[in-house]
Amino acid sequence: MSFQIPSDTTLGRIQRAPENFVSRTDIAFVNRASETDRRSFFKKAFAAAAVGAVAASPALATAAKGDPAILNLPAHTKGLGQPVAAMPYGMPSQYEKNLQRRESPGLTRVGAASVSFCPLQGLFGVITPSGLHFERHHQGWWDIDPTQHRLMINGLVKREMVFTIDELMRMESVSRVHFIECGANSGMEWANVAVPTVQYTHGMLSCSEFTGVPLIKVLEYCGVDLKKGRYILAEGADGSSMTRTIPMEMVESGEVLLTYGQNGEMLRPENGYPLRLIVPGVQGVSSVKYLRRIEVGDKPYAAKDEAVHYVDLMPDGTHRQYTSIQECKSVITTPSGGQKLLTPGFYNITGLAWSGRGKITAVDVSTDGGKNWKSATVQGPVHDKSLTRFNLPWVWDGKGEVLLQSRAVDSTGYVQPSYRTLREKRDDKSIYHNNAIQSWRIDASGEVHNVHVG
Amino acid sequence: MSFQIPSDTTLGRIQRAPENFVSRTDIAFVNRASETDRRSFFKKAFAAAAVGAVAASPALATAAKGDPAILNLPAHTKGLGQPVAAMPYGMPSQYEKNLQRRESPGLTRVGAASVSFCPLQGLFGVITPSGLHFERHHQGWWDIDPTQHRLMINGLVKREMVFTIDELMRMESVSRVHFIECGANSGMEWANVAVPTVQYTHGMLSCSEFTGVPLIKVLEYCGVDLKKGRYILAEGADGSSMTRTIPMEMVESGEVLLTYGQNGEMLRPENGYPLRLIVPGVQGVSSVKYLRRIEVGDKPYAAKDEAVHYVDLMPDGTHRQYTSIQECKSVITTPSGGQKLLTPGFYNITGLAWSGRGKITAVDVSTDGGKNWKSATVQGPVHDKSLTRFNLPWVWDGKGEVLLQSRAVDSTGYVQPSYRTLREKRDDKSIYHNNAIQSWRIDASGEVHNVHVG
C-alpha cells in the first residue's frame, strides 16, 4: 500500500462515460449513435455530469445530518428486494449496460468474420469477465452440442484416438491465468490511424483463468513419437477450417492446454465451447476454438492462416512467418483516449502489462512523453503470460499538456520499445505484432487523445 | 504435472448430471421437479447416458476413418455462424443452462431472506463466475443507482466525509482474490441432516477477484483517531439495516477493502452493487453489501446481527459472540453426493480448500475414511484467504465401498478437524462455523452419498 492521498489534496474528477453509470436513456442513445455522434454525446454527458457531480467535502457530512431530505429514505432502505435466485444465472446491473464489447464499424464486411473489442477502459484487476472477452471470428461463432463433439488425435502416435469432452474432463486438470491477445491487436496504429479509445487500440486482449488438461498428457496416452513428431497441427470444427502449427517444445513444456474451463465455468460459445486449445503467450489465432483434431507431424504445416495471414510484412518486401509470440507490452487504461479530466487533483493512473515470454517485472510511467519515468506499483501475485495490473497515484495540476506513457519490462529483461525503435526494424506496413509504447495526450482542457509520438 | 494415465488403464466414466451437458428438455424437467423427483430423474439420466456414452477407444478413430457418416459434416462446419457482438455481453452455452445457483426449498419462508447455493460441483479452478456467486440476503437484493449512492465516514475521525462511488473509484486501487463463505455454510450437517449434494452442503461459498480501496486509506484521509478508534461499524443501505463490528486491526492491516470491482467488472446487484465492504477470511455477513456508512468507535457495537444471530451455541448453553474467522476447511467437489461412477477406471478427485487465517499449504485425501492419506496436488499460485484447487488422480476398482475425505492444512499449521473433534468442543447444536471434514461414500454401485463419519 504505497499510496497516500495528502489530506490537503482534492480528489480530481474524471468522466469515463460511456462505460460506467450511464442512464438507460443514455445507453439507448449511445447504441444508436455513430462514432461521431457518440463523441459529441460524450461531451454533453461530461458537461451534465460536471454540473451534477458532488465533490467529497467535509461540509457534506455536516449538511447531511441536518437535512430532512436524508430522511426521505430510498425504496431499497424501506422494503423487500428481489428474492434469491431471481436470476439463477446473474447479470450486471442495469446501470452497467453500456460496458460492452463493440465491433469497430466498417472494419470488415461480414460480422461473422470480424472483431469485437473488449472495453479495457472500464475493467478492474486482471480477470476479464467472460461476457466481455474480445471476439475474433473467421466464420462466426457456434454453440456446439458438447455431447456430439469429439477430439481426434492422429499422426505420429502409436494409437490414434477419439475423445469425448466428458472424457477429457475426467483427467487431472490444471488451472492457469493467461492472456489472449490477437496478433493484430493495435494493428491500426502502424499506419498512424489513431483510433480514439483504448477499447479500439488494445481491446483485442483479454485474460481468464483457464482450466484443462495439458495436451502433452493426452499425447503421451496416445503413445506420441516425440523424436519425429516435433510439430502439431491444431484444427477447429467451425467453417473457417482454422488450422495452426505449434512447435512440440511448447507442448512438451506442459503449457499448452486442452481447455474446457474459463473463469470457473465452461468456455463461452464465442470463445470456443466446448473445447479450445490454449497456447499461452502466443497470438490468439493459435488458441484454436472448437478444437476437433490434433495431428502430430514432423514439420510445420504452412496452413493458409500461416502462409497468407498472420505474417509480418518487412521493409524489404519479404514477410516473416511463424512470428507468433506476443512480446512484452503495456497500456494505460485510465486516463485514456475519450476520457476527460474535469478538475485538477488526485488521480490514479492505472493500466495493464503483459508478456508472451514470461512475467512482468516492472512498469514505468511517464507524464512527459518519456523524458522522466516513475515506477508504478505492479499488483501481485504476477502470473506467467498473464495480464498484470499497475497503478500510479498522480496529481494533475490542470496546466498545459501531459503526455502519458507506460513501458513494461518482462522477466527476460526485454523492455517494451518505442514506435521509433519498432519502425526502424519493421517500417509501418505491418499489421501484426505491434507492441510499441502507447501515448495519450491530456490537453489543458483535460481531454485525452490518442497520439503517436516517440 | 504429476499425473500420468497408464496407457493400460481405461478412463472411468462419471455422471455429473444435472450440471453439465443436459438437454433443454431435461433442464425444464429438473427445474420443475421437487428434490425427490430430481433424484429419481438423475438415476434415469444416468441410465440413459450409460447406454449413449462413447468410450475413448483406439477402435473409434479407425472406425471414424471409414465411416461415411463422418462426411455428413455438422452445420457449424459448413456455414457462417453468429456475428461478433451478437451478444454485447455474452452468456453461457444453452447446454450449460442447468449449471445454476439454487435455493434450498423450504429453507426460509421468504425468498428475500434466503440463500441460493453455488453449484461447486460444476465449477473449475478457483474463480466463481459472478453469475453463479452464492446469495444470502436478509431483505432481498436491489439494483441501486450508483450516482445516487453515498458512503459516509463518521465517528472518531477529524473530518466526517461523504464520498460518491466515482470518487472512491478514482483512488489507487488494489485487486485481490478472496473467498466469501457464509458463517452458516455446512450448518445443516451439525444435526446430521445430510443434504444430498455439495451444492447444498458447501455452496454458501464463492471466490472472486475483488478490486477496491483499502478502507484504512480512506479513514486516514478523514483523519481517523487510531488510538481511541479500535472498532468500526459497517452499515448497509438495504432494508435489513445490516450492521457489523470489525476490529480496527483488521482494517489497519490493509486487507479490508471498500470494494466496487468483482472479477474485472462492477459488483453484481446481488453481491452489493455499487459498494461492498470485503473483510477477507471473515464470515460473509461482515462483508456488508450496499455499504453506506462506516462509523469509527471505541468498542464493539453489539448490533442485532452480532447479539442474536451469527453466534455459536456451546454445549453449556452459553454462546460465543464475534467468532467470525472462517477456519481452515476443504471439500471434494468431484466425486461428490448425487454423482455416480459408472465404470471402474481412472478418475480425478478434485476439490477446494480455504482458510480465513492464511494460505492453504497442503491437502490430504483419503479413500478409506481417514485410515490412509495421500497428498493431493495443490494448484498454485495459492492466494491468501482464497479458494485453492486440489487434484488427485485415482483409479477406482469398482469393488466395495469407498469413503472419500479431504483434510486441509493452512499456513498457521492448523489442520482441518474431524466431526468427532469438533463435537467434543461444540456439541451438535451449533449452526455456524462448521469446518469439519466432509465424507462422501461411494457405494459398490458407484453412487455417491453424503455420510457423517469420524
Side-chain angles (χ1 to χ4, degrees), chain B residues 81-99:
Chain B
Q82 294 292 309
V84 295
M87 292 194 292
Y89 193 97
M91 286 293 287
S93 160
Q94 61 176 312
Y95 300 102
E96 301 296 328
K97 282 203 169 137
N98 215 19
L99 187 72

Side-chain angles (χ1 to χ4, degrees), chain A residues 177-353:
Chain A
V177 177
H178 290 302
F179 73 84
I180 298 183
E181 182 183 21
C182 179
N185 199 25
S186 317
M188 302 286 277
E189 307 290 307
W190 276 118
N192 272 316
V193 179
V195 297
T197 69
V198 71
Q199 181 161 9
Y200 294 121
T201 58
H202 288 74
M204 285 197 269
L205 172 73
S206 296
C207 187
S208 308
E209 183 193 45
F210 291 108
T211 298
V213 184
L215 172 59
I216 187 68
K217 293 293 170 186
V218 176
L219 292 185
E220 285 169 354
Y221 188 52
C222 295
V224 62
D225 179 348
L226 287 175
K227 206 170 164 189
K228 280 194 202 156
R230 298 313 300 162
Y231 295 90
I232 65 159
L233 183 78
E235 179 182 83
D238 63 309
S240 67
S241 300
M242 174 62 67
T243 46
R244 292 291 306 186
T245 302
I246 292 140
M248 187 62 89
E249 62 254 36
M250 280 189 184
V251 179
E252 284 175 297
S253 77
E255 289 203 334
V256 178
L257 295 186
L258 295 169
T259 303
Y260 47 83
Q262 182 175 4
N263 294 335
E265 60 190 350
M266 289 295 282
L267 290 161
R268 295 294 176 82
E270 313 92 278
N271 297 124
Y273 178 87
L275 192 66
R276 181 174 197 173
L277 193 71
I278 294 292
V279 188
V282 168
Q283 57 186 357
V285 67
S286 294
S287 288
V288 174
K289 295 189 279 192
Y290 317 112
L291 185 73
R292 73 171 172 198
R293 193 168 66 91
I294 297 283
E295 182 177 312
V296 180
D298 57 2
K299 54 180 176 299
Y301 286 82
K304 76 170 163 42
D305 289 293
E306 295 164 346
V308 183
H309 306 298
Y310 296 92
V311 294
D312 298 321
L313 183 59
M314 300 299 282
D316 65 358
T318 63
H319 66 238
R320 299 197 299 188
Q321 215 176 344
Y322 298 115
T323 313
S324 61
I325 301 279
Q326 298 298 104
E327 301 286 355
C328 183
K329 189 169 169 182
S330 70
V331 67
I332 292 169
T333 53
T334 292
S336 63
Q339 299 180 342
K340 184 175 182 175
L341 309 192
L342 298 172
T343 57
F346 182 93
Y347 289 90
N348 179 38
I349 298 173
T350 189
L352 295 164

Side-chain angles (χ1 to χ4, degrees), chain B residues 346-378:
Chain B
F346 183 94
Y347 289 89
N348 179 39
I349 298 173
T350 188
L352 295 164
W354 63 100
S355 167
R357 295 201 189 273
K359 294 186 180 188
I360 292 298
T361 53
V363 181
D364 301 318
V365 169
S366 173
T367 55
D368 56 10
K371 287 187 204 107
N372 297 284
W373 296 92
K374 276 192 185 173
S375 293
T377 304
V378 173

